[in-house]
């Protein structure tokens, strides 16, 4: 009887720990690749590897427009030339920041 009770207690404790840990583990996992995901879905077709296949002299990596989040946002809000406008990113601060952080990690491409 005592054994049964303590077994139940252990199960309850383990379940509680898992319930507490699972959300943090999950958010940690998904918060990092978010910027990378947004980039892959919206930007990489033209800025693959941080470059610029449409205008090679305007690469994304090391761009002045990445100086601050505000500069980045301002640029995405009113982009120049063939650079498209991304309303869903500009209006979502979390996405914008995640994308910004990812863009900052891009190294200059080999061609430029
Ligand atoms: C259809 C192709 C295309 C896509 C998709 C695209 N861009 Fe661009 N991007 C361009 C072009 C072309 C320019 C250069 C504009 C100009 O100055 O004429 C540019 C320029 C930029 C610059 C400024 C570079 C500089 O120093 O002048 C930044 C920053 C940038 N893009 C970020 C992004 C981000 C972030 C995304 C995704 C949300 C994105 N771009 C998606 C084509 C694209």
């Amino acid at each position: 009887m005592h054994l049964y009770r303590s077994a139940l207690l252990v199960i309850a404790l383990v379940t509680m720990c898992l319930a507490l840990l699972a959300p943090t583990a999950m958010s940690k996992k998904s918060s990092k690749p978010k910027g990378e995901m947004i980039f892959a879905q919206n930007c990489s077709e033209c800025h693959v590897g941080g470059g610029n296949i449409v205008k090679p002299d305007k690469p994304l990596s090391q761009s002045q427009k990445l100086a601050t989040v505000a500069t980045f946002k301002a640029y995405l809000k009113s982009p120049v030339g063939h650079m498209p406008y991304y309303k869903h990113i500009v209006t979502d601060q979390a996405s914008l920041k995640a994308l910004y952080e990812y863009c900052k990690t891009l190294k200059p491409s080999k061609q430029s």
Side-chain angles (χ1 to χ4, degrees):
M1 195 59 187
H2 273 298
L3 203 73
Y4 178 67
R5 266 189 151 181
S6 37
L8 268 183
L9 198 70
V10 168
I11 290 168
L13 279 173
V14 168
T15 314
M16 259 169 63
C17 285
L18 282 178
L20 284 172
L21 287 175
T24 38
M26 270 163 72
S27 65
K28 254 187 195 155
K29 225 181 165 187
S30 59
S31 71
K32 208 190 164 198
K34 200 186 171 198
E36 192 175 346
M37 216 177 73
I38 297 171
F39 183 81
Q41 285 167 354
N42 301 281
C43 324
S44 66
E45 52 181 310
C46 295
H47 295 291
V48 62
N52 192 330
I53 60 161
V54 184
K55 254 197 166 178
D57 59 326
K58 292 278 171 81
L60 171 57
S61 66
Q62 317 274 286
S63 166
Q64 301 277 306
K65 317 292 181 211
L66 295 177
T68 64
V69 186
T71 325
F72 184 60
K73 184 176 181 174
Y75 184 77
L76 290 188
K77 234 176 165 169
S78 48
V80 203
H82 290 288
M83 168 65 202
Y85 173 52
Y86 293 95
K87 193 174 182 206
H88 65 291
I89 298 170
V90 173
T91 52
D92 177 13
Q93 193 65 21
S95 297
L96 186 83
K97 268 209 90 179
L99 179 63
Y100 174 74
E101 296 300 334
Y102 178 73
C103 289
K104 293 279 277 187
T105 69
L106 294 170
K107 299 277 176 292
S109 53
K110 278 150 234 147
Q111 312 101 281
S112 56

